[in-house]
Amino acid sequence: MHATVRNAPHQRFLRGLDASPRGTALRVGDDTLSYEELHELALRWAGSLLAAPGGPPRAVAVLAGRSVESYAGILAALYCGAAAVPLHPDFPADRTRGMLQASGATAVVADGPGLAALAETELELPVLALRQVDQDGGRRPVLPVGEGHTLAAPCAVRPGDPAYLLFTSGSTGRPKGVPISHGSLDHYFRLMDERYDFTADDAFSQATEVNFDCAMFDLFCAWGAGASVHAVPAQAYLDLPGFAAERKLTVWFSTPSAIALVRRRGGLGPAALPTLRWSFFAGEALLCQDAADWQAAAPGAAVENLYGPTELTITVTGHRWSPADSPRLSVNGVVPIGAVHAGHDWLLRTEDGGTAHTEGELCVAGPQLTAGYLDPQDGEGRFLERDGRVWYRTGDRVRRLENGELAYLGRLDAQVQVQGWRVELAEVDEALRGCPEVTDAATVTRPAAGGGLELVVYYTGTAVSPAVLARQLRQVLPSGLLPRHYEHLEAFPLNANRKVDRKRLAARAADAGA
């Protein structure tokens, strides 16, 4: 019998089940499931997965959007002691095929779009699905879902067992599999319970796709307290105050890009989000102006900027927004990322491999660190062995602030050489946001005609002549840092997790230059 991991994700759901058995656990569109209903569904599905022809699975792929299948599928995978592998059905078939093969998944839980995506991979994995099981003409082996396979209780797990596998892309764009253990999550959620006062009366937003690790915060912080989880559909951003009021949302979590989207729709008026008491942002830099605007719209909420690579289990730092202190501590108009979680050590690495006191690449060691990538070759250059410990190189440049917290400066590869100048792209972004016509800016590079790189700016706000912007920038930037091209956009393109898609902008700039 394996030892119980108190804060293992499925144990947190069981805790919520005890606290609120008939309370709402999940609401997705018109579908609402209580804790009892979702628990029984997950037990049935887990039993079916354990009865799969190939034997109990070590990993279960959940190929679904934000549907009942995705949430119940993740819980069912955890109940049968397997690692959940959330995958997005809109990804290209080659990418999905590669992730399925790398994960070692021997069974798939899918919704309608997921079945279609699975058919395109041409992999004949057993599939558990409630709808459209004949999506590919009935060729695929189907796992029957019935009472006969229902588990009596979830399987026990060990701290070192992987709870889920997520795929993150490095500079090459090739997905890297990151297993996160129950032990790492046990530490993480214990800290979350100490820091936040979530209760069964809370209603959590679920605004990101489930293959983005911040979704795990939404699900298991909510379910650990007996609270409800509400999937946020795209149309909700047309009137977020209305959606939040109808669902009585008290906890919001999204990428910072969502703030600009809500603002454009007129949803950030004074006290427009009065039911919120916690608001979290992670996944990209949070601007001070965005934090202030959100705070004005949600005056009863504590606003926090969270930071953490997938390899360090969801988030590993946090800064609580203060209108008085946060702007003063900010760098380039970006809210600090805060202090590293208790139980971890961190250091700032210099370019030559030394240790800096004030500024450098953030490296972290501690219980939230993954044991390594699925493919050990992916870890080359990403981990340090120092002082008898393993440290993860985040690839992020940070600065130690006067209060001991950290400020995010940007990716190491976001500091580029242009005409002999060392250029910090975030510095150019901040200079542009100082122009009256500009709401937000994203600076990228492209090959210059005479060799080297040149800067290209995309901005939102009011469209003006490039000469107007260049004239204003000359007041604050050296001439070598002035962009060569300016393009106005109504809104930045966003990727599947609602982050600004800078790769898409860079490709657009390169195409225009060619």
Side-chain angles (χ1 to χ4, degrees):
M1 185 71 177
H2 297 167
T4 298
V5 184
R6 173 171 168 73
N7 274 301
H10 74 277
Q11 291 289 348
R12 294 184 66 81
F13 184 87
L14 296 179
R15 192 186 311 171
L17 175 66
D18 287 341
S20 185
R22 292 180 177 79
T24 296
L26 176 66
R27 185 169 173 187
V28 185
D30 295 330
D31 295 321
T32 300
L33 280 80
S34 69
Y35 274 85
E36 287 181 336
E37 291 168 334
L38 186 53
H39 175 61
E40 291 168 5
L41 182 61
L43 287 174
R44 283 201 303 275
W45 287 14
S48 296
L49 291 167
L50 288 173
R58 295 178 59 188
V60 174
V62 181
L63 187 52
R66 280 176 290 152
S67 58
V68 169
E69 287 89 339
S70 63
Y71 301 109
I74 290 172
L75 193 59
L78 294 167
Y79 272 19
C80 71
V85 188
L87 299 175
H88 198 297
D90 290 344
F91 282 172
D94 286 347
R95 186 182 182 93
T96 299
R97 183 187 306 111
M99 291 188 291
L100 284 168
Q101 292 172 330
S103 71
T106 54
V108 179
V109 177
D111 58 9
L115 283 166
L118 185 60
E120 290 182 8
T121 69
E122 300 181 345
L123 296 175
E124 295 194 8
L125 292 169
V127 63
L128 187 155
L130 295 185
R131 315 171 214 201
Q132 302 179 39
V133 292
D134 59 347
Q135 183 77 32
D136 58 349
R139 291 188 299 107
R140 190 167 311 286
V142 175
L143 299 176
V145 178
E147 298 293 339
H149 293 308
T150 301
L151 293 184
C155 297
V157 295
R158 295 169 295 196
D161 293 340
Y164 60 77
L165 306 175
L166 295 180
F167 285 87
T168 180
S169 294
S171 57
T172 63
R174 185 174 70 86
K176 297 187 296 185
V178 184
I180 298 297
S181 72
H182 287 285
S184 291
L185 289 161
D186 180 79
H187 183 91
Y188 179 79
F189 286 119
R190 178 175 59 79
L191 294 180
M192 298 302 99
D193 288 344
E194 292 172 358
R195 185 174 177 88
Y196 307 119
D197 60 349
F198 304 137
T199 73
D201 293 329
D202 280 313
F204 281 64
S205 70
Q206 210 290 287
T208 65
E209 298 297 335
V210 294
N211 65 313
F212 184 30
D213 53 357
C214 289
M216 302 302 162
F217 177 102
D218 302 332
L219 298 183
F220 295 106
C221 278
W223 289 344
S228 57
V229 173
H230 299 256
V232 181
Q235 61 267 29
Y237 292 94
L238 298 174
D239 179 18
L240 188 63
F243 180 83
E246 188 265 323
R247 299 298 179 93
K248 297 182 174 58
L249 293 183
T250 59
V251 182
W252 176 266
F253 196 163
S254 73
T255 60
S257 291
I259 300 175
L261 184 58
V262 176
R263 182 191 290 115
R264 287 199 304 274
R265 297 295 182 177
L268 288 187
L273 300 166
T275 62
L276 295 182
R277 65 190 200 90
W278 289 102
S279 294
F280 303 101
F281 298 95
E284 55 189 350
L286 174 63
L287 303 180
C288 288
Q289 187 59 59
D290 284 348
D293 289 351
W294 188 273
Q295 181 75 89
V303 177
E304 291 205 352
N305 186 31
L306 308 182
Y307 160 89
T310 299
E311 292 84 350
L312 287 167
T313 308
I314 310 179
T315 60
V316 75
T317 75
H319 170 86
R320 190 163 298 175
W321 169 258
S322 161
D325 297 327
S326 298
R328 176 178 56 82
L329 295 168
S330 70
V331 178
N332 293 327
V334 174
V335 179
I337 60 174
V340 174
H341 284 178
H344 295 77
D345 292 321
W346 58 274
L347 59 85
L348 303 180
R349 185 177 184 270
T350 61
E351 290 185 14
D352 60 6
T355 302
H357 177 74
T358 303
E359 190 172 307
E361 179 188 11
L362 178 62
C363 302
V364 180
Q368 289 179 211
L369 176 58
T370 180
Y373 296 109
L374 288 181
D375 183 349
Q377 292 184 352
D378 288 332
E380 186 175 347
R382 300 312 311 162
F383 297 95
L384 298 174
E385 291 189 16
R386 185 178 296 187
D387 303 325
R389 308 186 68 187
V390 176
W391 305 71
Y392 176 67
R393 294 182 57 190
T394 65
D396 293 322
R397 293 181 60 248
V398 303
R399 180 179 299 166
R400 188 197 304 260
L401 299 173
E402 61 189 49
N403 65 351
E405 292 190 356
L406 301 175
Y408 175 77
L409 303 179
R411 295 290 297 168
L412 290 180
D413 53 13
Q415 189 180 67
V416 297
Q417 192 94 4
V418 177
Q419 297 181 13
W421 291 86
R422 293 286 284 180
V423 181
E424 200 73 69
L425 298 182
E427 182 181 353
V428 181
D429 293 347
E430 174 63 8
L432 280 153
R433 287 192 289 265
C435 300
E437 301 85 359
V438 175
T439 301
D440 200 0
T443 307
V444 298
T445 61
R446 71 180 178 198
L453 298 174
E454 63 184 13
L455 300 180
V456 176
V457 161
Y458 294 95
Y459 69 97
T460 61
T462 303
V464 293
S465 164
V468 172
L469 295 178
R471 185 167 57 248
Q472 295 179 71
L473 289 181
R474 285 193 186 95
Q475 306 301 314
V476 291
L477 293 178
S479 59
L481 271 62
L482 292 179
R484 296 295 300 274
H485 179 79
Y486 303 81
E487 183 174 341
H488 173 262
L489 299 175
E490 290 299 324
F492 291 136
L494 303 181
N495 62 21
N497 290 320
R498 299 195 179 279
K499 298 183 187 181
V500 174
D501 197 335
R502 289 181 179 265
K503 288 184 179 179
R504 202 153 128 203
L505 291 176
R508 176 172 176 157
D511 289 344

